[in-house]
Every structure is written in structure tokens, then in C-alpha cells.
């Protein structure tokens, strides 16, 4: 029986959560001299490593002075907040990581609010105090203001403050200290947080907060053992979210040691455990003794704000790349995702080939699409649509709090754009040559804006978003100004045709690329769609003259990423996603079909 404290590291994206966890593992002796140390060791997923963000909550543990510290690394992006919401329920304290220059950001507010609501007493760690533009005192004042806005209790307001440089593995009590280790953080955790009380003699109570899958043992339920003990081979009662009770047997029982899960015969109250043998176990299920049923409240997760249509790929190139192309394949994959991705919602539509998938934002849904294409799926995706609510007979829409950090020269441009998109500026501060603007903007006003924002600020600005609530429907929001360049032929693109057409717009494709009729190959310089033939080649003649056949220089094509594609498309367009290609296309591939549809819409 160990002294157990569970803690979560919460912060905004890029504040240094995963780097801090690396330092805690390293200095607690989890790795030996032979281990090859990787940066952000907890970000084990391929997409997490590529993008440098945490998407899935993960657990590990360290031992310090006779205490077992279970550490949870949480996502920092608002779109994955459903991961954070349920993990917060399983911890005894949170380390709130705040950048010494940026201060608390919108996502910090959301996660901190969840922690304060359930009575946790946070520890504040001001990170990156070696920055030249640090403003430590001001940031601490901003954190106090945030705590008061969130109705923190007097006890919660007496949080300890530490100063760190997570990348160097240093945490200090005071800025002037000279220690070169992370020991003050461990000591503060022990002094500030009570060890989980001994509840081994009480009836079993555990709630599943996340799921994993193992090819050998099948589905694994992960959660905190709130009371009682669990033994390998024990018969238990599983109570689902609807109150239905099933009697099941535990096949394997695991706990965390360092980064690994270790099989044990018995687990004790307070620990985070993994169990296998229950094939239909789901998030939110409670485990009880068969003779003492006492389920915990169901996990309540914030509602989705954005939806997209996932469709069977019907383009002329369908089936060339992917292994899984049918509606049955797509439905089965979405059902599997629903088991572990609690913030997702999938609904059937009038068509058997189309599914309405809702999530917390564009990134939340695009990560799912990216995972599916890597697994060999082909599908078509529609333009994201905002999910509205009806309250007292009025339509309400999701509103986001947006923070822009931009060079002063572009401040007026952003204000002009946000006003067009029904935004409300509620705060602005200038520091040197940079301006920080705080806006409340309808979610639909931000769809497709990220690409424009990068262009407007010449890549020098940053934009941070966080859902703040619902408000009555605002006015109209402008759509993309430029039309699409649509291919009228199927074939292979030629240098000759692209060279002669590049004055009329920017291309997404280069030469020797397969295209089909109705495929979008670029952005038109006009505000209407332009039908072009990129497969045209130069007619061969016997005439030769100086300069006639000089090299044709082509402008490099715009690189097409999934996020950019989803932001770019209009209501009558789709993104075709396959394991090897991303293409844009019109819903109706033939020109006469598009004209007929346009007439119907106008009438």
C-alpha cells in the first residue's frame, strides 16, 4: 500500500507541459543510463510528434520520498477539452503552467475552471522565466484576477507560486534561487496536497475515464480506484451510464510504473488502474461490488459546436488509394472512435452513404480524418457547419473568445476583418511593436479565417481561440471572396496549360498531376468560379524561332493541408481524402449539373 497523489499538468498549447513531464520523469530516476531520451516522451502518437501538440491524455508515475505520484499529461488545445474534462475528475491537484510572457490564455481559463469547480487546490508554475520579454509580476496578477473571476475559494486563492525553465529541467521557489533541478516542484506537491485517504476497506467504486486497446488482451478500461480494492480474476458489477448492471470478471489488472503499465494481482484505493476482460466497457461506467451497487454520476461533457458530413468517396479516382471505401467501413470506424472519443457525435442521415459527424472544432475533427486516412480510409468531407441551439424560441450560436498577438502595423486590418465577421473587441493592449487584441467572435465567422490571418499578418501573428458560450445569432458573415478554378477535363496536367493559366489565379497542383472533371485545381483571381482545362498541351509545329521554346517558369503551387482544405471549401464543394492524396472538388462534377443546382438554389 503506497501513499498516492494524482496530479494533472494543465496549460495552454506550447506552454511546456510535455517538456515539464519529461523533466519530472528524468529527475525522478525513471530512465536509466542506457535509455535514449526523447523530447516530449509522453507525446507517443505520430500526429502529436509531427504537430508538436498533445492530443490524448496519458498517464505515467514517479516515486518521490515514499510517495507515488501519478502524473497526467493533458491536451492544451480547446478542441480536445473533452479529454481534459473527464481526467480532471481523477486527480488530487493540478499544476497550472503559465508562460512568463504570454500570461493565462483562453484555454487556461477553461481547464482551470473545471479544476476549481471540483474543489482542487492548484499549484502555479510560471514557466520560461528565462525569456527576455518576461513579465512575471504582471502575469501573477493576471492569474489572481482569473482565479477571482472563476469564483475560487479563499483556500484555492492561497496557491503556491514556483518559477521554472522546463526545457532545462529547473524549478525554483524564488526567481533569485540558483538550484539546477526540479526538486522544489516535488516538495511543493507533497506539502500542498494531501495524500489520498486509505479507503481500502470501503465498497469498490471506480469510474472509467478513458479507454485503450491491446491486441493481446482487447479493450482496456482506465480510471481511478476511488474506494475499495481490485484483484485479478475478481467478479464485479459494471454499471453503465443508463443504470444497467452487468456482472463481469477482471482478466488482467495493471498499474503505472514510470512510463510502463505493470500487471499486478491487487490494486488499492487512490491509484489509477487499467483493467481488461470486459469487452463492452465504456467511458463513464462505474465498477462496484456485486452486493453493493453505488454508481458515480455520469460524466457530463460539453456539447459539440461544429459538424461535417463524412461521405463515401464518389470521385472518378475513388478506390485507387484506399483499402476501406464503403459506407459500412466508414460507419464501423466512426463507431470505434465513439467508444474512446467522448466529445464526438455521429448521426445517420437520409442517405446511407453520408454521416453527420459533430465535434468540438475544426482541429478535433481534422485529427480524426487524418487518423482515418493513415489507416487506409477514403472519404469525402463537406464544409464545417456551426451547430446552433434553440433557447426560448430564439436561435443561439457558439461564440469564441479570440486573442490575437500581432505587429502593430496589421492591427487596423484585423479590426476591420473582425468587425465584418460580427466580432466584438473587448480589450486591447500594446507592448513594444506588438498589439494584443481580445475579441468575442461567432464560431462561423472564424471558419476559414486562419489562412487569411496568416496572409494578413505575413506570418508574424498568432491567434488563440476558445469557446466562451452561446449568444443570440449575429448578422451575416462574409464568405470566401475568391472563386475556384475548376477543371473541365480528365487527364494529366501540362506545363504549357498551367503556365498560360497562372495569371488567372494560384494553383494547388503542379505539372504531371492526375485531375478529373469537376476537380478544383486552384484559387481564381476573380470572385466567381472559373472553368479551365489544365490538361491542354502545346500543338507540335515545324516552326522554330528564337525565344519560341524558352523555359516556362511556373509559380510553386499552394501546399494543400487538411486544415487549409476544410477552411477553403464552400458549401457546394468537398474535400476528397485518401491515404496518399488530398483533393478539392465540386459536389456536382459536371458543369450542367452545377448550373441546374444553382438555378434551384436561386428559386
Amino acid at each position: 500500500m503506497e501513499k498516492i497523489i494524482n496530479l494533472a499538468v494543465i496549460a495552454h498549447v506550447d506552454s511546456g507541459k510535455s517538456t515539464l513531464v519529461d523533466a519530472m520523469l528524468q529527475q525522478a530516476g525513471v530512465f536509466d543510463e542506457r535509455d535514449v531520451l526523447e523530447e516530449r516522451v509522453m507525446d507517443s502518437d505520430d500526429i502529436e510528434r509531427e504537430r508538436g501538440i498533445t492530443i490524448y491524455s496519458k498517464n505515467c508515475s514517479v516515486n518521490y520520498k515514499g510517495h507515488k505520484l501519478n502524473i497526467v499529461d493533458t491536451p492544451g488545445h480547446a478542441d480536445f477539452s473533452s479529454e481534459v474534462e473527464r481526467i480532471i475528475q481523477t486527480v488530487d491537484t493540478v499544476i497550472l503552467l503559465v508562460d512568463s510572457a504570454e500570461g493565462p490564455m483562453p484555454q487556461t481559463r477553461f481547464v482551470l475552471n473545471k479544476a476549481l469547480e471540483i474543489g482542487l487546490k492548484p499549484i502555479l508554475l510560471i514557466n520560461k522565466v528565462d525569456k527576455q520579454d518576461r513579465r512575471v509580476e504582471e502575469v501573477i496578477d493576471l492569474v489572481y484576477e482569473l482565479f477571482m473571476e472563476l469564483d475560487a475559494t479563499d483556500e484555492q486563492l492561497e496557491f503556491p507560486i514556483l518559477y521554472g525553465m522546463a526545457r532545462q529541467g529547473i524549478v525554483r521557489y524564488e526567481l533569485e534561487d540558483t538550484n539546477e533541478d526540479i526538486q522544489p516542484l516535488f516538495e511543493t506537491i507533497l506539502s500542498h496536497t494531501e495524500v489520498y485517504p486509505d479507503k481500502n476497506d470501503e465498497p469498490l467504486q471506480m469510474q472509467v475515464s478513458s479507454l485503450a486497446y491491446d491486441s493481446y488482451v482487447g479493450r482496456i478500461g482506465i480510471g481511478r480506484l476511488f474506494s475499495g480494492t481490485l484483484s485479478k480474476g475478481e467478479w464485479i458489477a459494471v454499471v453503465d451510464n443508463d443504470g444497467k448492471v452487468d456482472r463481469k470478471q477482471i482478466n488482467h489488472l495493471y498499474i503505472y510504473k514510470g512510463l510502463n503499465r505493470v500487471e499486478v494481482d491487487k490494486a488499492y484505493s487512490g491509484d489509477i488502474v487499467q483493467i481488461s476482460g470486459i469487452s463492452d466497457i465504456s467511458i463513464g461506467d462505474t465498477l462496484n461490488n456485486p452486493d453493493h451497487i453505488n454508481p458515480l454520476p455520469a460524466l457530463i461533457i460539453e456539447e459539440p459546436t461544429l459538424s461535417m458530413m463524412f461521405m463515401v468517396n464518389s470521385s472518378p479516382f475513388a478506390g485507387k488509394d484506399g483499402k476501406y471505401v464503403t459506407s459500412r467501413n466508414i460507419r464501423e470506424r466512426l463507431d470505434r472512435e465513439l467508444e474512446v472519443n467522448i466529445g464526438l457525435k455521429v448521426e445517420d442521415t437520409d442517405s446511407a452513404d453520408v454521416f453527420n459527424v459533430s465535434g468540438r472544432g475544426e482541429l478535433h475533427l481534422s485529427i480524426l480524418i487524418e487518423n482515418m486516412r493513415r489507416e487506409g480510409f477514403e472519404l469525402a468531407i463537406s464544409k464545417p457547419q456551426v451547430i446552433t441551439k434553440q433557447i426560448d424560441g430564439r436561435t443561439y450560436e457558439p461564440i469564441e473568445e479570440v486573442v490575437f498577438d500581432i505587429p502593430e502595423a496589421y492591427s487596423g486590418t484585423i479590426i476591420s476583418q473582425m468587425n465584418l465577421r460580427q466580432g466584438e473587441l473587448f480589450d486591447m493592449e500594446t507592448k513594444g511593436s506588438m498589439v494584443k487584441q481580445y475579441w468575442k467572435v461567432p464560431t462561423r465567422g472564424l471558419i476559414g479565417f486562419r489562412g487569411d490571418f496568416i496572409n494578413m499578418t505575413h506570418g508574424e501573428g498568432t491567434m488563440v481561440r476558445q469557446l466562451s458560450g452561446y449568444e443570440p445569432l449575429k448578422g451575416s458573415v462574409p464568405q470566401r471572396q475568391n472563386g475556384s478554378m475548376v477543371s473541365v477535363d480528365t487527364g494529366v496536367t501540362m506545363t504549357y496549360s498551367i503556365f498560360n493559366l497562372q495569371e488567372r489565379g494560384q494553383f494547388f497542383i503542379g505539372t504531371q498531376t492526375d485531375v478529373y472533371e469537376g476537380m478544383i485545381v486552384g484559387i481564381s483571381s476573380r470572385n466567381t468560379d472559373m472553368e479551365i482545362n489544365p490538361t491542354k498541351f502545346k500543338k507540335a509545329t515545324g516552326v522554330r524561332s528564337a525565344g519560341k521554346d524558352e523555359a516556362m517558369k511556373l509559380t510553386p503551387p499552394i501546399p494543400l493541408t487538411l486544415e487549409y482544405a476544410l477552411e477553403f471549401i464552400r458549401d457546394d464543394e468537398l474535400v476528397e481524402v485518401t491515404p496518399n492524396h488530398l483533393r478539392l472538388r465540386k459536389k456536382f462534377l459536371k458543369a450542367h449539373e452545377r448550373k441546374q443546382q444553382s438555378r434551384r438554389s436561386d428559386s
Side-chain angles (χ1 to χ4, degrees):
M1 186 47 203
E2 297 176 288
K3 296 176 183 175
I4 295 171
I5 296 175
N6 292 355
L7 58 108
V9 185
I10 58 174
H12 185 73
V13 181
D14 288 338
S15 292
K17 294 183 306 300
S18 300
T19 311
L20 179 68
V21 175
D22 283 355
M24 292 174 79
L25 288 166
Q26 197 170 341
Q27 294 189 31
V30 169
F31 306 111
D32 64 30
E33 293 174 2
R34 292 165 296 177
D35 288 331
V36 178
L37 300 182
E38 293 183 21
E39 275 197 17
R40 304 193 323 274
V41 69
M42 295 286 280
D43 287 349
S44 50
D45 183 78
D46 287 343
I47 299 178
E48 289 181 321
R49 288 208 160 276
E50 285 169 24
R51 302 192 184 205
I53 59 173
T54 302
I55 298 170
Y56 309 104
S57 295
K58 291 174 222 65
N59 303 69
C60 61
S61 77
V62 301
N63 284 301
Y64 183 77
K65 291 190 175 178
H67 292 72
K68 182 182 182 183
L69 307 179
N70 284 316
I71 304 168
V72 187
D73 185 19
T74 62
H77 200 286
D79 283 19
F80 310 113
S81 50
S82 60
E83 286 277 326
V84 179
E85 287 175 69
R86 61 178 189 266
I87 294 303
I88 288 294
Q89 313 275 349
T90 69
V91 300
D92 304 305
T93 189
V94 292
I95 299 168
L96 177 63
L97 207 62
V98 178
D99 189 291
S100 66
E102 290 178 350
M105 300 294 272
Q107 172 67 0
T108 315
R109 180 191 191 94
F110 174 85
V111 186
L112 179 63
N113 190 34
K114 296 292 175 189
L116 296 176
E117 278 177 2
I118 61 172
L120 298 182
K121 295 187 289 179
I123 296 165
L124 175 62
L125 175 53
I126 307 294
N127 194 28
K128 304 183 184 179
V129 292
D130 52 340
K131 274 188 171 182
Q132 285 188 341
D133 58 345
R134 72 180 189 186
R135 44 178 193 141
V136 176
E137 294 301 323
E138 196 178 334
V139 165
I140 291 171
D141 289 342
L142 290 170
V143 173
Y144 272 115
E145 284 176 26
L146 179 58
F147 270 70
M148 287 187 279
E149 281 175 35
L150 298 175
D151 296 326
T153 63
D154 291 343
E155 200 177 11
Q156 287 171 329
L157 278 167
E158 292 174 8
F159 51 82
I161 303 171
L162 299 169
Y163 307 91
M165 291 169 274
R167 189 171 285 281
Q168 286 99 298
I170 297 171
V171 174
R172 293 169 177 162
Y173 292 114
E174 302 293 341
L175 282 170
E176 310 81 50
D177 291 351
T178 56
N179 64 293
E180 297 289 318
D181 57 24
I182 212 164
Q183 193 171 343
L185 177 59
F186 286 134
E187 292 291 342
T188 304
I189 292 166
L190 265 53
S191 62
H192 181 69
T193 313
E194 292 178 12
V195 171
Y196 195 80
D198 182 351
K199 296 185 178 181
N200 293 329
D201 297 331
E202 295 182 17
L204 170 65
Q205 198 174 48
M206 170 186 158
Q207 189 165 44
V208 178
S209 57
S210 54
L211 297 173
Y213 184 82
D214 185 286
S215 53
Y216 292 103
V217 299
R219 193 187 294 195
I220 295 172
I222 307 169
R224 183 171 209 176
L225 199 50
F226 289 104
S227 62
T229 59
L230 264 180
S231 299
K232 187 176 172 180
E234 183 180 349
W235 284 90
I236 54 162
V238 180
V239 188
D240 68 15
N241 287 323
D242 298 324
K244 185 178 159 218
V245 182
D246 255 343
R247 200 160 175 269
K248 302 282 184 179
Q249 186 179 26
I250 294 171
N251 287 350
H252 298 275
L253 181 64
Y254 307 93
I255 61 170
Y256 290 96
K257 281 198 176 174
L259 289 167
N260 305 314
R261 70 166 193 241
V262 178
E263 188 164 2
V264 292
D265 293 326
K266 193 168 187 178
Y268 299 91
S269 60
D271 215 344
I272 293 177
V273 300
Q274 300 187 22
I275 59 166
S276 74
I278 305 170
S279 59
D280 57 349
I281 197 164
S282 293
I283 289 169
D285 288 358
T286 301
L287 276 54
N288 288 144
N289 295 123
D291 55 351
H292 198 284
I293 307 299
N294 182 22
L296 287 158
L299 294 172
I300 299 168
I301 302 297
E302 302 268 338
E303 288 292 309
T305 59
L306 213 61
S307 69
M308 299 176 187
M309 295 296 179
F310 283 38
M311 313 172 193
V312 172
N313 184 16
S314 59
S315 89
F317 295 167
K320 286 189 174 183
D321 279 0
K323 289 192 291 183
Y324 310 109
V325 297
T326 66
S327 58
R328 183 175 61 82
N329 294 147
I330 295 170
R331 180 75 225 205
E332 285 174 358
R333 176 63 181 82
L334 291 173
D335 285 342
R336 283 206 312 276
E337 187 68 22
L338 284 171
E339 293 172 358
V340 295
N341 194 339
I342 202 168
L344 200 71
K345 193 174 176 185
V346 178
E347 297 166 302
D348 290 319
T349 64
D350 297 338
S351 168
D353 291 343
V354 182
F355 307 100
N356 187 17
V357 182
S358 308
R360 295 299 298 269
E362 288 163 280
L363 186 60
H364 183 204
L365 292 170
S366 70
I367 293 292
L368 167 61
I369 298 164
E370 184 63 41
N371 277 322
M372 288 177 71
R373 74 181 287 214
R374 291 181 185 209
E375 292 163 19
F377 283 84
E378 278 193 20
L379 60 159
I381 311 291
S382 72
K383 180 181 172 62
Q385 301 290 335
V386 165
I387 299 170
T388 57
K389 286 182 177 180
Q390 292 295 320
I391 303 173
D392 298 330
R394 292 183 71 185
T395 303
Y396 281 65
E397 66 175 333
I399 302 293
E400 302 202 25
E401 185 180 321
V402 189
V403 180
F404 295 110
D405 202 356
I406 49 176
E408 196 168 7
Y410 310 126
S411 181
T413 309
I414 298 300
I415 289 173
S416 171
Q417 276 296 317
M418 286 297 100
N419 284 333
L420 285 173
R421 293 163 186 269
Q422 306 298 328
E424 292 176 19
L425 180 67
F426 65 89
D427 197 7
M428 185 162 71
E429 54 190 54
T430 305
K431 191 177 180 202
S433 63
M434 300 296 282
V435 174
K436 202 170 251 189
Q437 297 178 1
Y438 298 83
W439 290 83
K440 286 201 171 175
V441 190
T443 299
R444 65 193 166 96
L446 294 169
I447 294 173
F449 179 64
R450 188 173 293 277
D452 292 342
F453 173 75
I454 291 167
N455 291 332
M456 286 170 195
T457 61
H458 297 257
E460 295 180 55
T462 58
M463 178 174 84
V464 177
R465 308 163 45 171
Q466 167 65 44
L467 182 73
S468 69
Y470 282 77
E471 291 182 15
L473 194 69
K474 310 284 183 188
S476 61
V477 168
Q479 298 300 308
R480 189 183 84 220
Q481 298 299 310
N482 296 70
S484 302
M485 294 168 74
V486 186
S487 174
V488 295
D489 203 357
T490 300
V492 177
T493 56
M494 293 291 172
T495 305
Y496 174 76
S497 55
I498 292 180
F499 178 77
N500 288 310
L501 288 165
Q502 62 187 9
E503 291 178 359
R504 303 190 185 183
Q506 295 173 280
F507 279 88
F508 295 131
I509 52 157
T511 59
Q512 299 300 301
T513 303
D514 291 321
V515 296
Y516 54 80
E517 184 181 0
M519 180 172 156
I520 298 167
V521 294
I523 309 171
S524 167
S525 54
R526 300 178 185 171
N527 59 3
T528 56
D529 289 344
M530 187 186 301
E531 295 182 350
I532 62 168
N533 183 4
T535 65
K536 202 179 201 175
F537 56 89
K538 185 178 180 182
K539 295 283 189 293
T541 69
V543 179
R544 299 206 176 272
S545 62
K548 196 79 179 171
D549 293 312
E550 64 186 14
M552 296 179 179
K553 290 185 179 177
L554 300 184
T555 307
I558 299 169
L560 206 56
T561 63
L562 186 55
E563 278 82 13
Y564 179 82
L566 292 171
E567 289 182 350
F568 176 82
I569 57 173
R570 287 175 168 168
D571 292 335
D572 66 335
E573 297 167 348
L574 300 173
V575 180
E576 179 187 345
V577 179
T578 75
N580 299 318
H581 295 98
L582 282 175
R583 301 184 185 97
L584 303 179
R585 53 163 285 191
K586 288 290 184 181
K587 276 186 185 175
F588 298 94
L589 298 178
K590 305 281 185 188
H592 69 272
E593 291 174 342
R594 294 197 290 275
K595 284 173 185 165
Q596 286 173 359
Q597 186 62 27
S598 178
R599 285 194 208 103
R600 286 195 203 106
S601 302
D602 292 341
S603 59

